[in-house]
Amino acid sequence: MEQAAVFDVDGTLADTNHLHVTCWWEALRQAGHRVSMHDVHRAVGLPSADLVAHLLGGDRDPDRDAELSAAHKALYGQYFDRLAPLPDAGPLLKRLHRDGWTVVLATSAGGAELGALRRAIDADEAITATASADDVEQGKPAPEPVEHALELAGVPAERAVFVGDTVWDMRAGSRAGVRCVGLLCGGIPRADLVEAGADVVYDDPSRLLASLSDSPLA
């Protein structure tokens, strides 16, 4: 039977979380909101609308959510040609593909942003499909993005592993019934990832690749 390796992208395969933090912080600042970078960092990984609601709460003017999202997108777009992969991100995907895993990305990125991320990772030949938050009604931490990835792979939950770097990833994977691997390279503490559902935690893609034979992706 086929097996699916589902990967988050930002903070898991690409070193972009802190760029997102800076861009969201600046977009919020320009709109008159004072939100700490720590709080923004903890929210990264949520879909844009959910991130704004999480940070600003119900007292905000929801009619301005799209404006904030557009400002973040414009700021982040300045970095598209400089996005960097995390160590061994591409080689990890290629190794799993050679080992017979169906590799699917589960990300809220799309369009030019997704293209820039895939160029940075440089492993297109190993990626079977991409499940975007735009394809589902609810993004992470709801299970739908992971479930959609499994549908694209044609693999049941018990034959899949989800790799991510945020508590939102771990909750989504756990709710979808898949084994979850957490990575620390997105900046979230190990204990938080484990509490949210990670079965095992590694430093980054390079450490996961080096430990592959003893991992859920063996």
Side-chain angles (χ1 to χ4, degrees), residues 24-210:
W24 274 116
W25 178 86
E26 178 61 16
L28 291 162
R29 187 198 67 81
Q30 290 177 4
H33 302 289
R34 295 292 183 264
V35 180
S36 74
M37 286 198 173
H38 172 78
D39 288 341
V40 176
H41 181 213
R42 302 288 294 190
V44 165
L46 290 170
S48 293
D50 294 337
L51 182 145
V52 172
H54 180 80
L55 291 174
L56 300 184
D59 294 336
R60 76 191 191 286
D61 178 1
D63 291 337
R64 299 197 65 186
D65 286 2
E67 179 183 331
L68 287 168
S69 180
H72 162 264
K73 186 175 182 179
L75 290 162
Y76 183 63
Q78 299 176 66
Y79 297 99
F80 280 0
D81 62 348
R82 289 172 281 170
L83 300 184
L86 283 154
D88 282 334
L92 172 61
L93 300 189
K94 293 174 185 177
R95 167 66 183 278
L96 291 171
H97 178 67
R98 289 197 303 271
D99 288 350
W101 289 81
T102 299
V103 177
V104 181
L105 305 182
T107 176
S108 58
E113 179 182 349
L114 179 58
L117 289 165
R118 292 184 67 146
R119 285 193 299 274
I121 297 165
D122 191 24
D124 272 358
E125 66 270 29
I127 300 169
T128 297
T130 300
S132 169
D134 295 335
D135 301 325
V136 296
E137 291 187 6
Q138 289 185 300
K140 304 168 194 173
E144 288 182 52
V146 179
E147 292 170 345
H148 180 52
L150 299 181
E151 290 174 4
L152 293 174
V155 173
E158 60 269 20
R159 299 285 296 173
V161 177
F162 180 47
V163 184
D165 68 293
T166 68
V167 296
W168 318 116
D169 292 327
M170 299 302 99
R171 290 175 185 173
S174 296
R175 292 168 181 172
V178 303
R179 291 169 291 170
C180 295
V181 172
L183 299 183
L184 297 174
C185 43
I188 301 302
R190 180 186 301 270
D192 291 4
L193 296 175
V194 171
E195 183 180 359
D199 295 295
V200 63
V201 179
Y202 299 91
D203 289 344
D204 55 24
S206 184
R207 181 60 63 183
L208 175 55
L209 178 60

